[in-house]
Amino acid sequence: MKVYEAIARGLWDLGCTELFGVVGDGCVYVIDSYRRDCNGHYVPAVHEGSAVLMAQGWARVAGKVGVAAVTHGPGLTNTVTALVEGVKAGTPMVLLAGDTPATDREHAQNVNQPALVAATGAGFEPLRGPETVAEDLARAFYRANIEHRPIVFNVPVDFQWQDVEYQKPYLRLPETRSVIASSNDMDDAIGIIASSHLPVVIAGRGVSDPEAEAAVLRFARRIEAPVATSLRGKGLFVDDPFHLGISGTASHEVALDVIGRSDCLIVFGASLNKYTSGERGLTRDKRIIQINPLASEIGRCTPVTVGLVGDPGLTADAMVKWLDEAEIPGSGARNDDLLAELKSYHEQARTKLMHRTPAGTVDLYELSFALEEALPKDRVFLTGSGRFMFAFWNVISVPNPRSYVDGNGLSSIGVGEATAMGAAKAAGDRPTLLVTGDGGFMLSGLSELATAVAEQLDLVIVVANDGSYGAEHIALSMHDMDPGLSLLPSRDFARIAEAFGCQGLTVTSSAELQTAMAAVAKRDRKRPLVIDVKIDAASVYGGAAIARP
């Protein structure tokens, strides 16, 4: 067969069931063979960056390596922002990129592709020759799995029409689950826990499976510690009564108080970056025990007292065993007072967080609580990047971490929309909710509505439309400058969405919000639903509603 056919079959044999891309002469033959010869499902995006983001959204929800394909030159340059997003979010994916012939120095689309990819932080894996297709392709997938970042598989077009005898790619990932049975670090960790009066357990995306989650929760209950999660660990411990929610800059008031007063943090599978640590305010003057399978992650973002390199679940069970053998009592931090405080907060949250807004607009928290109730609990939830995010992170629930995807690795607007479409492909029968801003939606969301319609995605897109670039509105207002430069023209997103074939609704009041939520329940699940919700730009500050003067 031809090299392009061998690549297509290799993708299929490596488990690629969804291929996202934009055709060009550097990738079109691979895509065509993938569809025709392998019966693979190809999702044609409008923009190459969107194709990469779709693959990343699919990967985050499916828990597998996502795959996209683009052509050489501009096809690859259009993916730069998406690749950086994938690197910062730690998303495993393979991007098949065509490349111009090495012999044609004056090819119009010739760019230095290795240097371009290197600048994004993604990995670069070249196809060395026709005879190494299987080995090189398998290595790209291996690296994506192990390095937790996008890997660009570079395929020169002059190789693609050469003949090759097909060899099935061989991919076997190493067993990485391990535990420290006995060590000075384990002794120190047990000693710290034994002397703690108010420990808090924080878990992140590294607690990736139900078994590990159950083990970490057993440990938390054993030491009588409340639990919290990083943002990307959202969905863990949802049924635990002592769940504090998200730790860090998105924490609610009770979580901030409890984590702030704690004397020990035990962190499983989270980086403890500046957001989870509340700009280090929640980690200051505390003893910290961090557990992670990768030694390179220990103390990378925040200095820790003790680091344990091991599987979070296995290590949690080992620590319980040591605590039991030493007959160390629990801390007593899981008590009736904390339970009552959490219950009171959740009962009063809606009233305390919601604010009056001018006529023709809706409060963000009113919107978030309405969405929480309107959609089934088994759902996928995504946010784009913008100041609106904070109103949804602590209100919209998900059943597990793989059901939440943030498009905020690079803090770039316009990332969430395509990511949500890939996530919706992986969601199966579950609905996918995307909350995005009007600036981001205009940047990339509108054009990709055509893709969402063609794929018949059960996707609910809520545009928090404050008619501005929010961060810039804040920056100008904080310096007593006219925020007019940040304002955007009024646009009827619902009607525009309908022109693409979506369902469209506009919300300007509480009554219209309730009508829209009823429409969510009765929506056509084979057509995306776009809800344009008008928000007052002056009532949103850093994501939290504030009283108007």
Side-chain angles (χ1 to χ4, degrees):
M1 61 176 63
K2 301 299 181 184
V3 166
Y4 70 83
E5 294 172 312
I7 294 172
R9 185 176 295 184
L11 290 175
W12 180 260
D13 285 341
L14 285 166
C16 173
T17 57
E18 299 282 346
L19 176 62
F20 304 87
V22 176
V23 295
D25 61 343
C27 65
V28 66
Y29 308 112
V30 173
I31 294 172
D32 179 66
S33 180
Y34 176 80
R35 294 179 61 195
R36 174 171 44 82
D37 301 327
C38 305
N39 292 318
H41 185 252
Y42 169 64
V43 180
V46 174
H47 189 275
E48 288 90 350
S50 296
V52 172
L53 292 170
M54 289 176 192
Q56 292 177 13
W58 185 91
R60 292 278 292 274
V61 175
K64 302 177 182 178
V65 172
V67 186
V70 299
T71 193
H72 37 56
L76 184 60
T77 61
N78 279 344
T79 70
V80 167
T81 297
L83 287 174
V84 177
E85 171 70 22
V87 170
K88 287 182 172 286
T91 306
M93 70 157 294
V94 170
L95 173 59
L96 189 152
D99 201 353
T100 55
T103 55
D104 190 354
R105 291 185 302 178
E106 297 182 36
H107 194 292
Q109 294 188 334
N110 179 35
V111 297
N112 188 342
Q113 298 196 170
L116 180 71
V117 173
T120 69
F124 186 86
E125 190 64 38
L127 174 61
R128 294 170 293 163
E131 68 281 1
T132 62
V133 169
E135 182 181 342
D136 295 341
L137 185 58
R139 180 170 171 78
F141 274 75
Y142 179 88
R143 291 183 60 191
N145 273 291
I146 298 300
E147 299 173 22
H148 301 283
R149 62 172 175 159
I151 304 296
V152 175
F153 182 55
N154 200 68
V155 183
V157 294
D158 45 342
F159 289 165
Q160 294 188 34
W161 284 89
Q162 295 186 33
D163 292 318
V164 65
E165 183 176 342
Y166 182 71
Q167 294 180 347
K168 185 176 180 179
Y170 176 78
L171 176 63
R172 178 165 180 159
L173 300 175
E175 174 62 61
T176 56
R177 298 193 72 196
S178 62
V179 61
I180 301 174
S182 177
S183 70
N184 290 334
D185 285 336
M186 179 65 86
D187 291 343
D188 290 343
I190 297 300
I192 290 170
I193 293 166
S195 62
S196 174
H197 299 292
L198 178 51
V200 172
V201 170
I202 299 175
R205 188 172 52 169
V207 183
S208 57
D209 61 80
E211 289 185 8
E213 178 185 3
V216 173
L217 188 54
R218 282 194 297 271
F219 167 78
R221 289 170 175 168
R222 172 61 180 82
I223 67 171
E224 298 178 17
V227 293
T229 74
S230 67
L231 178 60
R232 288 179 179 151
K234 182 178 175 65
L236 294 170
F237 315 133
V238 290
D239 295 323
D240 187 75
F242 290 96
H243 184 21
L244 301 174
I246 298 169
S247 170
T249 52
S251 290
H252 57 67
E253 59 188 49
V254 178
L256 284 174
D257 174 60
V258 175
I259 300 172
R261 289 189 292 108
S262 68
D263 58 356
C264 173
L265 302 178
I266 306 99
V267 184
F268 292 87
S271 65
L272 208 59
N273 60 30
K274 72 173 188 175
Y275 305 107
T276 307
S277 66
E279 301 282 357
R280 300 275 185 97
L282 296 178
T283 57
R284 189 176 298 117
D285 300 325
K286 288 180 173 59
R287 293 175 297 176
I288 300 172
I289 302 165
Q290 186 178 20
I291 300 95
N292 199 286
L294 301 176
S296 59
E297 287 295 301
I298 302 294
R300 180 174 65 85
C301 297
T302 299
V304 300
T305 313
V306 175
L308 300 176
V309 180
D311 176 82
L314 295 177
T315 305
D317 280 340
M319 294 169 80
V320 168
K321 180 181 177 182
W322 277 81
L323 291 163
D324 289 344
E325 289 181 354
E327 298 182 352
I328 295 171
S331 66
R334 283 180 169 246
N335 53 50
D336 291 341
D337 290 342
L338 177 55
L339 195 62
E341 193 175 1
L342 285 167
K343 182 180 179 182
S344 175
Y345 169 78
H346 290 301
E347 288 176 346
Q348 300 176 30
R350 184 190 296 260
T351 303
K352 292 173 69 174
L353 292 171
M354 286 172 51
H355 292 73
R356 288 175 177 254
T357 61
T361 64
V362 174
D363 176 68
L364 275 176
Y365 283 97
E366 181 181 9
L367 172 60
S368 63
F369 281 109
L371 288 168
E372 168 68 12
E373 295 170 359
L375 285 162
K377 298 298 182 184
D378 190 12
R379 59 197 170 208
V380 173
F381 170 49
L382 298 92
T383 55
S385 186
R387 58 180 177 164
F388 59 85
M389 303 178 299
F390 297 87
F392 297 89
W393 281 342
N394 273 310
V395 176
I396 305 295
S397 62
V398 292
N400 52 62
R402 286 227 309 252
S403 296
Y404 171 70
V405 182
D406 68 280
N408 202 39
L410 185 56
S411 291
S412 169
I413 64 171
V415 167
E417 291 77 5
T419 306
M421 294 173 194
K425 287 298 296 182
D429 294 332
R430 299 182 295 160
T432 298
L433 168 66
L434 166 70
V435 181
T436 187
D438 49 330
F441 191 59
M442 280 296 300
L443 185 65
S444 67
L446 280 178
S447 60
E448 293 299 344
L449 286 179
T451 305
V453 170
E455 292 299 316
Q456 299 183 334
L457 299 180
D458 185 10
L459 176 62
V460 177
I461 301 174
V462 176
V463 183
N465 185 357
D466 64 357
S468 74
Y469 290 117
E472 289 66 34
H473 192 282
I474 292 174
L476 292 167
S477 299
M478 283 180 62
H479 290 89
D480 296 322
M481 300 169 70
D482 181 6
L485 182 61
S486 70
L487 300 181
L488 296 168
S490 176
R491 297 181 174 96
D492 191 341
F493 290 128
R495 302 291 82 77
I496 296 171
E498 287 178 340
F500 275 94
C502 299
Q503 306 162 84
L505 293 168
T506 301
V507 172
T508 63
S509 66
S510 296
E512 289 181 353
L513 177 60
Q514 294 307 310
T515 300
M517 294 304 99
V520 168
K522 299 177 181 178
R523 71 194 182 283
D524 179 353
R525 298 189 61 178
K526 292 188 176 181
R527 289 175 63 206
L529 169 61
V530 176
I531 307 176
D532 181 5
V533 184
K534 306 302 182 183
I535 305 297
D536 176 40
S539 295
V540 186
Y541 188 81
I546 59 171
R548 290 170 62 82

